Amino acid sequence: MSLEKLGLSSPLDLALLAPKSYHDYRLKNRIDDLNELFLDVEIKTIQQLPKITKAVGFAHNLAREVELLFFQFASYHKKSFYPGARLYIAGRGKFFGKLQIMQPKIVASYKVGRIFAQYDVKMRGDLFEKIKERYLTLDRLLSEGLPEEIAKALLIIHYPDEAFFKGFKKEGGFFGIYLEALKFTEAFRYLKGLKNKRVRLPALRSCKKSLDPFIENLPFSLTKDQKKALEDIAADLSRSIAAKRVIVGDVGSGKSVVMFGAAYLAYPNRSILMAPTTILAQQLYEEAKRLLPKEIEVGLVISGSKEDLSRYHLLVGTHALLYQDLPEACLVMVDEQHRFGTEQRERLKKLVQKKDGAPHFLQFSATPIPRTKALMDSALVDFSFIKQTPFKKDITTKVISKEDFKELLSHIKKEIAQGHQVLIVYPLVEESENYGYKSLEEAASFWQRYFDGVYITHGKDKEKEEVLKEFRDKGKILLATTVIEVGISLPKLTTVVIVGAENLGLATLHQLRGRVSRTGLKGYCFLYTNDKSNERLQEFSKITSGFEIAELDLKFRKSGDILSGKEQSGRAFKWLNMAEDRKILERVRGLI
Ligand code: ADP
Ligand code: MG
């Protein structure tokens, strides 16, 4: 008998297959609980009555007579219940003059004499017990690496004692140290799996250099978190193993300068930086030329070209990079990594990968993640977090609805009069019945009638980059769908209005809000909704840090969502709650 027969691959899997119920199959000579009788019965007579079948027997453990009543006396009952037969039975009893049990169940003898743990497995119970005996032992669990008290708690779950059994009944499920052991083991198994999956390739180059000259020549001083991220990266690049790091920082936290710092560290070796849109690539290109020393040649790749790219030290580009004959590079970076598919990111890396080594690989993300998720994923990649922003953003967030529209209009007029810009985000492009909000197309005529400088774009708009650029330079109001999520910088944008805000995820709301006040101007975010008391929106309006929002998001979602469908495991957690179990996760992480 082996674990594979059950589709399991380790004692940890087996330990996590928690019983679905427990039954006391110890023979007692008195009745403790009439609802859960367990008897050793010798059948005396069988009697077929008009509607029921009645067997009379003698319960040896209770030393008394018992009547067994069946509404359905199936053929397997016939085989087991006959005069002279002796069986173990369980059922709910009642006194009706005599002790009676309705529709009793036969209990197989291997279950008898203990509190029996019942499982939901597709295997004969007695065979499953054999597997348990073999694999669920303290030795095995300890050699999997579990701490002793966790292993012991797991064993009690599978080989219950009296105290656990009582607790389980009272709590209606796993509790205390036992529940914790399941959570712990689940996290432990997951992280161990991730860790084993992590591939460590040799680096093409290790680059040791001081970052000080770069930092000293910047027109601003770096924030503490930017410095720390660059220190992490400097340590990565100096190693002979290819780095794999994700740098997470809120919109406006200043990730670009960290990319340039990394390119500086890699110089004179080449770096490649890929961004999701042409505008972003151009922005990064301009910034790189401004912030990097002159000797570092920066090139831009936004469409196929025959140019010899090997004269550049830093290549900035869009996915057009993927179709180029790329020169050797020791550092590959991806900005706004979530805008790319895994395949594209891997492809970029593979383009510069050699037989004898891989490039250092840095990915940048503007989607803050909850601490628990970072703890989980950190077995596979390293993380750096940029939590501070260089400018104190001053954004007022308000939940508004129909009755506040007039006030909103006068606010918009006031902002425009000061040369500021306004973004209004609609949930849908075209009209749709029963949605409760105007679509982009329906609303457009209203804004165009009362304002000039109104620009319109949406996700499927082929010209959206041009529209955004033109708006940036001379627009007043931009009507858009959530496409604007792409991180183009609009320095004069001070107000964002999000229509039907309750239908958007907190991360998206946060991204949209992050568009305004990027250069220190006072910003406003209006969440327009028909449901003004919406708790999610109300809480969102009080928080500005992306990392806190990630925690909040977790609170409003089931924790399974966040990891389900993940490539690493493909399954959600059954016991672990990502919103609540940070302590447990930290402990597991410390162990792995
Ligand atoms: P994001 O993390 O959203 O990509 P950016 O890198 O685009 O942010 O930075 C936003 C703006 O802040 C840029 O104009 C950048 O030059 C500026 N910036 C970055 N770091 C600092 C800093 N430490 N002090 C002042 N300005 C900074
Ligand atoms: Mg950016």
Side-chain angles (χ1 to χ4, degrees), residues 205-364:
R205 292 262 187 301
S206 49
C207 323
K208 292 193 181 80
K209 196 154 105 198
S210 163
L211 196 62
D212 295 345
F214 172 75
I215 295 179
E216 280 154 22
N217 282 319
L218 288 173
F220 44 74
S221 49
L222 293 177
T223 63
K224 212 168 106 250
D225 289 349
Q226 282 173 321
K227 273 192 205 138
K228 175 70 174 65
L230 277 167
E231 277 165 25
D232 292 344
I233 292 169
D236 282 353
L237 298 193
S238 73
R239 286 197 192 101
S240 54
I241 287 170
K244 241 185 187 179
R245 180 175 295 278
V246 179
I247 295 94
V248 189
D250 234 332
V251 176
S253 63
K255 292 183 291 299
S256 321
V257 66
V258 174
M259 300 170 199
F260 307 145
Y264 179 89
L265 285 165
Y267 178 80
N269 298 295
R270 187 174 297 106
S271 308
I272 295 175
L273 167 57
M274 182 166 75
T277 66
T278 306
I279 302 190
L280 273 172
Q282 275 166 341
Q283 267 178 20
L284 286 169
Y285 169 72
E286 302 291 341
E287 280 270 288
K289 285 206 299 191
R290 193 165 69 87
L291 298 178
L292 282 168
K294 290 288 158 287
E295 67 270 22
I296 301 187
E297 291 282 344
V298 187
L300 179 66
V301 180
I302 50 178
S303 60
S305 100
K306 295 255 164 359
E307 193 191 359
D308 177 16
L309 299 173
S310 66
R311 58 179 279 241
Y312 298 112
H313 303 112
L314 169 61
L315 279 175
V316 182
T318 57
H319 60 279
L321 284 166
L322 299 173
Y323 308 98
Q324 288 284 330
D325 213 357
L326 291 176
E328 196 178 309
C330 83
L331 169 64
V332 167
M333 296 183 277
V334 179
D335 191 14
E336 307 269 340
Q337 54 99 15
H338 71 283
R339 314 284 311 185
F340 294 98
T342 317
E343 227 172 81
Q344 283 178 308
R345 288 180 268 147
E346 285 300 308
R347 182 142 140 224
L348 182 65
K349 199 171 59 166
K350 294 244 166 73
L351 278 178
V352 273
Q353 196 154 318
K354 292 267 156 45
K355 262 214 191 73
D356 52 342
H360 294 293
F361 190 47
L362 305 177
Q363 303 194 68
F364 294 79

Side-chain angles (χ1 to χ4, degrees), residues 173-189:
F174 296 102
F175 60 98
I177 167 76
Y178 307 104
L179 181 58
E180 207 173 307
L182 289 168
K183 287 167 182 275
F184 188 101
T185 307
E186 200 168 34
F188 184 85
R189 177 180 67 176

